[in-house]
Amino acid sequence: MEEDEVWKSIAKNKYKVSTTQKEVDNYIKEGPDTSDLPQHRAFADAMGLSLEELNHNFDRDIYEKNVIWLKLKPKLEKKYNTTNNNEQIEKYNEEVEKQLK
């Protein structure tokens, strides 16, 4: 949980990237809410939730980070001089780890 907060804090404070609740809702409605993956529906059923409840409440923090990442990615491409997503993730996670210490 602390790591997620630091992850979001760096995005907001260092890179000026944040998201609104409406943006997260739209992202979920256009993506995860339309899922027809049996595993996704089975997980929601196992939790006793509708797919929408699972997405908008239980997994919301995951989707919030996804929306932030989509905005953060172009800035990281410039900073790290790479379009390789894995390299960007690795380098950004190094920033997070440094701040956690």
Side-chain angles (χ1 to χ4, degrees), residues 59-75:
D59 285 341
R60 185 177 192 83
D61 57 329
I62 295 167
Y63 300 128
E64 179 182 16
K65 282 180 73 175
N66 288 353
V67 173
I68 293 170
W69 182 257
L70 292 172
K71 293 179 175 183
L72 188 58
K73 192 167 173 36
K75 294 178 183 250

